[in-house]
Amino acid sequence: MSRVAPARAAAFEILLTMEGGSGHSDELLHQPIVERLSPQDRNLATNLVMGVLRWQLALDARIAALLNRPRTQLDSSVRVALRLGAFQLLYLDRIPVYAAIGESVELAKSAGNKFAAGMVNAILRKIATQPLSKETLEVTNSTGLASSYAHPQWLVERWVDRFGLQSARKICDYDQQPAPVFVRLTAPDAEQALLQEDIELTPASFLGDVRKVVRGDVSAGAALRNGLVRIQDEGSQLVAELAGHGLRILDACAAPGGKTAILAERNPDAFITACDISQKRLAGMQRLLPKAPYGASIDFKLADIAKLELKPEFDLVLCDAPCSGTGTLARNPEIRHRLSPEELNRQHDRQVSILNSVMSGVEPGGRLLYSTCSLEPEENESVVRQCIDHRDDFELISIDHEIERLEGAGILHFEGAAKKPSHK
């Protein structure tokens, strides 16, 4: 692929890996194939990968209308080359047409099929003459919403039924935008250090120690390297803040460790057990957390939390359970292509097993916070209700008092407190 720009070559390799059903975009975009690119090329490669994954369903529909054979009969290299070229032509304004088409043809040649390269050339030239309409479409039902925002229709139908058409549309629109980057300020001079690195910041929506990155690359700076800041979604941080205080704490599904770090920061005298099923991810936590001066004692435990026989010894348990991730499609757009309705039931069963297990570890008078990054009731309310219905020693409590505690401590700012959920 010597005739292909480095950014497009890297994006093609990542998308081809993901087309085979393996890997996650957030991990693959930190592989050496991307890390060794210039900052400009790294940014383009990231935009290409994430953009293709976000709009893949719409791209496939546009391409399929111009094919003489079913899309599934195409070599995976050809499918990815077509998507990559079509995305640049339809959704990016500053990419020259000749570059988008010519380099996609070169990528298709990597499949070793001259006919395929010619087909890619012909289809992309047709797409180039039929740009997307700039007019805002009037969406009146779930079918139109799914089509307009490149989401699986079954998933959009669920959201429309549960949240209503307009709220579902806001969710889909959010999913199609680049996910915002948030940083936690872990030192008094952290914000000033970021400003000196020409990182533009704005206050976050809820937490006072969090900033939203407006411009700049925090990952390449000294502030992150020196431990002054940590990149972590604000929602993830809010969950850990809501967990509250304890002296013996269990973080049941701890990796990658951001919530564990906050638990340690807020509970410097605690003994924390950080448990995870992944040896690789747990090892990453062990490298990260000992560098921070939290004071708390952290014991890292490699185990499947659902299979542990826990004793009632913890006064605080955080159970941020693995889930479908339907609340993270902006950051992990490939999820929509791998998820099925049946997967929600499988996740539910797994989550019930996990929650039942950790409930056994809560001592009398202790607290347990269950959370997921899913929007689906099967993974949230249904899990909690199924578990608590079989236990008369647990009760649901409102998070209102935790909201008030965080606001009073200056951790949660007033505007964030006003946005508090009304659920328990």
Side-chain angles (χ1 to χ4, degrees):
M1 289 188 272
S2 58
R3 299 175 63 181
V4 178
R8 292 188 182 88
F12 178 76
E13 291 295 334
I14 291 172
L15 289 168
L16 195 57
T17 297
M18 301 189 71
E19 181 70 2
S22 61
H24 300 279
S25 57
D26 55 348
E27 295 176 353
L28 292 173
L29 283 167
H30 288 88
Q31 295 292 311
I33 191 175
V34 176
E35 294 291 348
R36 62 173 172 252
L37 296 175
S38 68
Q40 183 177 5
D41 279 344
R42 188 162 61 245
N43 184 59
L44 176 57
T46 298
N47 288 338
L48 291 174
V49 169
M50 301 300 279
V52 168
L53 292 172
R54 288 190 184 106
W55 293 102
Q56 182 171 311
L57 294 175
L59 295 171
D60 284 352
R62 178 66 75 98
I63 292 166
L66 300 172
L67 284 174
N68 294 323
R69 66 169 90 174
R71 180 181 59 85
T72 54
Q73 294 182 7
L74 298 177
D75 184 90
S76 58
S77 298
V78 177
R79 286 199 300 272
V80 172
L82 280 168
R83 290 171 185 156
L84 199 52
F87 171 72
Q88 294 172 82
L89 294 171
L90 295 171
Y91 295 97
L92 298 183
D93 296 329
R94 299 181 181 180
I95 301 294
V97 171
Y98 72 85
I101 296 177
E103 294 197 15
S104 295
V105 170
E106 291 298 320
L107 291 170
K109 287 180 180 179
S110 66
N113 190 323
K114 294 183 179 180
F115 167 78
M119 179 190 64
V120 168
N121 181 65
I123 289 176
L124 293 181
R125 287 187 179 279
K126 290 179 181 179
I127 290 176
T129 64
Q130 304 169 4
L132 292 175
S133 172
K134 299 295 183 180
E135 298 180 5
T136 301
L137 296 176
E138 183 66 27
V139 176
T140 59
N141 55 45
S142 58
T143 300
L145 187 59
S147 176
S148 298
Y149 289 93
H151 279 59
Q153 184 166 335
W154 69 268
L155 188 57
V156 173
E157 287 175 353
R158 291 173 56 91
W159 293 346
V160 170
D161 289 343
R162 188 164 186 232
F163 304 117
L165 183 65
Q166 293 310 312
S167 293
R169 181 170 187 165
K170 290 179 181 179
I171 295 171
C172 291
D173 183 66
Y174 182 86
D175 290 344
Q176 297 309 91
Q177 310 303 321
V181 176
F182 294 97
V183 292
R184 184 174 184 85
L185 309 178
T186 59
D189 57 343
E191 189 164 15
Q192 185 60 37
L194 289 174
L195 295 176
Q196 291 176 353
E197 294 177 7
D198 201 27
I199 305 294
E200 184 178 347
L201 306 168
T202 189
S205 299
F206 297 96
L207 300 174
D209 288 340
V210 182
R211 299 292 183 270
K212 180 180 178 180
V213 178
V214 177
R215 179 179 56 81
D217 184 5
V218 177
S219 65
L224 179 68
R225 192 165 55 250
N226 295 333
L228 302 181
V229 299
R230 183 172 64 251
I231 298 175
Q232 185 178 2
D233 282 349
E234 188 181 22
S236 170
Q237 298 186 51
L238 181 57
V239 167
E241 296 283 17
L242 286 168
H245 297 295
L247 290 175
R248 291 188 62 83
I249 301 174
L250 171 63
D251 190 353
C253 307
K259 296 184 183 70
T260 311
I262 294 174
L263 291 173
E265 175 187 344
R266 298 303 185 194
N267 299 276
D269 297 323
F271 181 84
I272 300 174
T273 299
C275 183
D276 202 85
I277 195 173
S278 168
Q279 184 172 10
K280 179 180 178 181
R281 286 159 62 86
L282 199 67
M285 287 182 62
Q286 290 175 294
R287 291 192 298 270
L288 170 69
L289 294 181
K291 298 179 181 179
Y294 299 123
S297 176
I298 304 176
D299 177 38
F300 299 94
K301 189 176 185 64
L302 177 64
D304 181 350
I305 194 68
K307 297 179 179 179
L308 284 183
E309 296 183 2
L310 297 171
K311 298 178 181 179
E313 58 181 316
F314 299 101
D315 57 352
L316 176 61
V317 174
L318 173 57
C319 181
D320 185 50
C323 66
S324 65
T326 58
T328 67
L329 297 191
R331 190 170 303 284
N332 306 106
E334 66 272 11
I335 288 174
R336 73 190 74 183
H337 308 304
R338 299 174 178 178
L339 192 62
S340 66
E342 295 74 25
E343 176 68 9
L344 298 180
N345 294 327
R346 190 189 73 80
Q347 292 285 359
H348 169 89
D349 293 341
R350 171 69 171 160
Q351 290 151 354
V352 167
S353 297
I354 290 173
L355 186 53
N356 274 327
S357 177
V358 299
M359 288 171 79
S360 299
V362 183
E363 68 178 22
R367 298 171 60 249
L368 187 159
L369 177 64
Y370 173 82
S371 67
T372 74
C373 51
S374 169
L375 301 178
E376 314 315 313
E378 292 96 327
E379 301 182 82
N380 295 305
E381 298 92 337
S382 178
V383 171
V384 173
R385 178 54 58 189
Q386 182 172 335
C387 292
I388 206 169
D389 280 350
H390 293 86
R391 300 286 296 260
D392 57 9
D393 54 339
F394 278 82
E395 64 175 343
L396 290 176
I397 59 174
S398 172
I399 64 170
D400 285 356
H401 66 286
E402 292 299 325
I403 296 288
E404 294 170 359
R405 174 184 65 81
L406 294 177
E407 185 182 7
I411 295 171
L412 181 69
H413 55 66
F414 176 79
E415 291 184 2
K419 299 175 184 177
K420 67 182 180 183
S422 60
H423 316 292
K424 289 184 177 181

